[in-house]
Amino acid sequence: MIKVNNLRIMNYYIKKHKIDEIFSRDMSNFMELFLFKKGEHICKETDEIKNIFFFVEGKAKVYVTLSNGKSLLLCFYDSFRILGDVEVAGIKKASTNVQVIEDSYCIGISMERAKKYLLNDAKFLRIICNSLGKKLNRSSKNSSINLLFPLKNRLSSYILATGKNTGDSSPGKIEFQGNLTEIAELLGTSYRHLLRTLNELVLEGILEKRSKSFRVINEELLRDLAADLYR
Amino acid sequence: MIKVNNLRIMNYYIKKHKIDEIFSRDMSNFMELFLFKKGEHICKETDEIKNIFFFVEGKAKVYVTLSNGKSLLLCFYDSFRILGDVEVAGIKKASTNVQVIEDSYCIGISMERAKKYLLNDAKFLRIICNSLGKKLNRSSKNSSINLLFPLKNRLSSYILATGKNTGDSSPGKIEFQGNLTEIAELLGTSYRHLLRTLNELVLEGILEKRSKSFRVINEELLRDLAADLYR
DNA sequence: AATTAGTTATGACATATGTCATACTAAATA
DNA sequence: TATTTAGTATGACATATGTCATAACTAATT
């Protein structure tokens, strides 16, 4: 986590996401811009979160870990999102981890100040409620998708959510890579089964195996398979 | 849904759950006590919810339905809970259904009045945030349990959550019954597999089949199996 | 009594997924 | 260079779960 002393960039994001309209009073003096480098955690289940963050740019994955050590992907953040809403609501620890998978910017306000100045700000609290409500709706839906759809569908969603556009013209413009061992964990499946399912997609002409990645060669079929997950 | 004109009972629940401490102003004039008879819905995905409800007595199940018509159990309510928190947070429809499985009491405040008088009440909003935050934490956790544990564990949780204490002295004091077709749906499994798994529990000496119910004859083993679900 | 609908029950088989052993490769390091 | 480690890959088999056909039982109805 690097503090970025660049008012120009920060103001750009404040304006873009209307962050100043979240509060009744002017909080801009308390805002700081942070850069999280790829791989860094914005928050962990174990650690207390020191800021309320407004995620403004980049991409992050949200996951939980269980007592048996396994972890499971919950969703991705790739547009404006509030982090720390659960904690500002007075709950000690949110039980999720957020790790950025691309360099990402967050605007932060220290939890201490947020609690001091914002816990009586109805405008702000309504927005927190809204953020939590949306997350809850999404979580409820994902819960059922996770249970009722086979890995193939969840994997398809995952590829679409994490694949990078190569900039090439189609076809094969989406490229997908990552540590397969880790991906299996995130999807709540075994490494073996992930491999099997990837091979299936290759056999069906949806993916193509490269040396260190997969290419999507039939995006339409992939989208048909993708359950409405990880939104 | 029957409106119960009984101030004595209502005040008892207001006091018991400190409902008057949820608001900055006195809302008691806007409160109504409702009785939901077993089987009734407090809210459905399709219907707009007309009240914010404080669930004060009884038991209810919360479930979602998917586009393919299947439904899946999310959790049970059997202690104080707020319903309509998502809607009061400005989200049109909460995507869940709540059906009472025992006669239950709720104290309601019309959504109209709640929005009129409470959307500027920071105290109230903090409590709504807290309610939503708890539900979100629980949902995130359940999502992973649903995916990572086999039916046997989820079924064990279900039996413990819905079984009735017969009043007999142990052993076999918990009795469990219900429409098995429906239970299969709620647990997100097939009827066939539910039967199989129930038989397994019988073979293991955990359950005993009666004419129209199952008896828990080894509660300890059942609790060992039960994942920490449906809380 | 015959009929019907809803529920319970079970076998057979297919598919989804997990576990394990093992092998190969590439990168890291002693 | 030899060794180790992490990641990738695959076969064999076991378990979890779904699908389907079918039967039996029960309660309500004709």
Side-chain angles (χ1 to χ4, degrees), chain B residues 96-126:
Chain B
T96 54
N97 308 277
V98 181
Q99 182 182 25
V100 309
I101 55 180
E102 289 172 9
D103 290 3
S104 301
Y105 282 115
C106 289
I107 291 177
I109 295 175
S110 81
M111 194 55 78
E112 195 186 346
R113 278 175 177 148
K115 289 191 171 172
K116 182 172 176 187
Y117 296 112
L118 298 173
L119 282 185
N120 282 305
D121 182 345
K123 189 177 183 186
F124 169 75
L125 290 172
R126 285 197 299 271

Side-chain angles (χ1 to χ4, degrees), chain A residues 150-151 188-190 192-193 196:
Chain A
L151 180 65
T189 190
S190 63
R192 184 67 189 89
H193 193 51
R196 245 190 311 244

Side-chain angles (χ1 to χ4, degrees), chain A residues 212-226:
Chain A
K212 295 188 173 184
S213 68
F214 291 84
R215 282 279 174 127
V216 178
I217 51 180
N218 192 331
E219 186 177 335
E220 198 188 341
L221 277 183
L222 192 67
R223 288 197 187 279
D224 288 346
L225 279 175

Side-chain angles (χ1 to χ4, degrees), chain B residues 3-5 10 28-34 51 53 106-110 113:
Chain B
K3 190 184 167 204
V4 180
N5 288 306
M10 188 163 85
S28 54
N29 283 332
F30 302 140
M31 292 182 200
E32 297 175 297
L33 181 65
F34 295 102
N51 292 272
F53 285 118
C106 289
I107 291 177
I109 295 175
S110 81
R113 278 175 177 148

Side-chain angles (χ1 to χ4, degrees), chain A residues 72-74 135-149 154 228-230, chain B residues 62 64 66 71-75 95-96 136 138-148 154 186-188 229-230:
Chain A
L72 176 70
L73 182 66
L74 291 179
K135 288 181 182 179
L136 178 59
N137 264 355
R138 167 54 46 184
S139 175
S140 304
K141 190 170 178 204
N142 279 3
S143 192
S144 56
I145 291 176
N146 271 334
L147 192 62
L148 299 171
F149 285 78
R154 284 152 35 219
D228 180 28
L229 202 57
Y230 305 135
Chain B
V62 183
V64 286
L66 294 184
S71 60
L72 176 70
L73 181 66
L74 292 179
C75 63
S95 50
T96 54
L136 178 59
R138 167 55 45 183
S139 176
S140 304
K141 191 172 178 204
N142 280 3
S143 192
S144 56
I145 292 177
N146 271 333
L147 192 62
L148 299 171
R154 284 154 33 221
L186 287 172
L187 292 176
L229 200 57
Y230 304 135

